[in-house]
Amino acid sequence: MKAIVLGGTSGMGRAIAQRLAERGDGVFLLGIGDTELERSAADLKSRHPSRVDVGYAVCDLEKPETFAGALDAADTALSGFDAVIVTAGLFGTQEALEADIEFTRRLVTVNYANTVVFCEHARKRLLERGGGHLTVFSSVAGDRGRKPVAIYGSAKAGLSVYLEALDHKFHAAGLSVLCVKPGFVRTAMTAGLKPPPFAGEPDQVAGDVLRAMDARKPMIYTPGIWALVMLVIRWLPRFVMRKIGF
């Protein structure tokens, strides 16, 4: 696999990049900040000096004008890529978003509109070469309208629907679309939030994601317990949802 990882310098993206490097796959990191990208690429290379050559380029989900150039750089470095993995995005608590309308605009734009635009750039390139993998992180927050994640969840709901539609439309053309729905995972993004008893770790999520990609699954919950949790939540009547704080 020759994989681009957008968001590969931290959290779950970094764990996926490390797993890819460990098994000898080509890796190209996209993210914001030259220094952090350079440091992350050098770290991956030093861990696996004989197996991978890790490149990088700046790509900012708040700046769609960076998308095409970053993918061009990855194409050149990898001599063609066949997998694009998107873990980047913005997170904010419901309280913070309700208090700052500009933050709300940024978050819903990045997590839905600009992520879709980036995926469209990647999707077209993958299909031009016969298909490949498009793996994108959504969230369990998008499965149901819930009080604590009303705004964040709405953007992730839209993203999940888009990814499902891509799978329906382009699967026969060779595009394997995987929608990843993480539950609570201990990363810098969730620092300061109270974790549930079944909180996951980035490396656990990375393993789940790569196994799902290899099996060409269209959607996974990770950690797996969230599939059961969200099954219950999706079936709860509206009057119950109004009363509970989950």
Side-chain angles (χ1 to χ4, degrees):
M1 191 180 294
K2 297 178 180 181
I4 296 170
V5 185
L6 175 55
T9 61
S10 63
M12 291 177 281
R14 181 177 179 83
I16 289 172
Q18 289 174 342
R19 287 258 186 164
L20 289 166
E22 285 171 3
R23 66 186 204 176
D25 293 326
V27 181
F28 194 93
L29 303 178
L30 298 182
I32 56 176
D34 283 308
T35 301
E36 186 59 32
L37 283 164
E38 183 179 7
R39 185 184 299 119
S40 297
D43 177 66
L44 285 177
K45 178 63 177 175
S46 67
R47 292 170 184 262
H48 313 283
S50 63
R51 301 182 67 184
V52 295
D53 187 16
V54 182
Y56 64 90
V58 171
C59 185
D60 188 342
L61 278 176
E62 292 203 74
K63 299 176 180 178
E65 64 272 17
T66 65
F67 297 172
L71 290 170
D72 286 341
D75 231 349
T76 299
L78 294 171
S79 298
F81 57 82
D82 57 13
V84 178
I85 302 166
V86 181
T87 68
L90 289 179
F91 176 75
T93 64
Q94 183 65 19
E95 292 77 13
L97 291 164
E98 288 178 0
D100 187 343
I101 196 69
E102 173 58 17
F103 184 27
T104 295
R105 184 199 64 78
R106 288 179 57 214
L107 182 139
V108 297
T109 300
V110 165
N111 287 358
Y112 178 69
N114 288 0
T115 298
V116 168
V117 171
F118 178 83
C119 288
E120 284 296 287
H121 278 278
R123 188 261 306 166
K124 291 177 181 179
R125 293 173 187 242
L126 289 168
L127 286 173
E128 285 172 356
R129 61 202 63 176
H133 296 274
L134 179 60
T135 297
V136 185
F137 276 54
S138 182
S139 173
V140 297
D143 275 17
R144 189 80 192 266
R146 292 164 39 213
K147 295 177 186 178
V149 287
I151 296 171
Y152 176 79
S154 68
K156 291 298 188 178
L159 181 60
S160 295
V161 170
Y162 163 75
L163 294 170
E164 182 182 2
L166 280 192
D167 174 64
H168 294 327
K169 185 169 184 180
F170 297 110
H171 182 79
L175 186 66
S176 179
V177 179
L178 172 61
C179 176
V180 181
K181 295 185 177 183
F184 193 102
V185 180
R186 293 185 179 92
T187 66
M189 184 178 287
T190 57
L193 300 178
K194 183 179 179 180
F198 39 81
E201 300 291 342
D203 187 64
Q204 174 191 0
V205 171
D208 289 344
V209 169
L210 291 185
R211 283 189 291 272
M213 289 177 66
D214 290 341
R216 294 188 173 271
K217 291 184 178 180
M219 189 273 288
I220 60 164
Y221 290 91
T222 178
I225 185 65
W226 283 93
L228 298 176
V229 173
M230 297 315 297
L231 176 64
V232 173
I233 293 299
R234 287 197 305 275
W235 282 96
L236 286 178
R238 185 177 290 260
F239 76 89
V240 175
M241 292 295 291
R242 288 182 181 139
K243 293 182 179 180
I244 66 176
F246 181 75

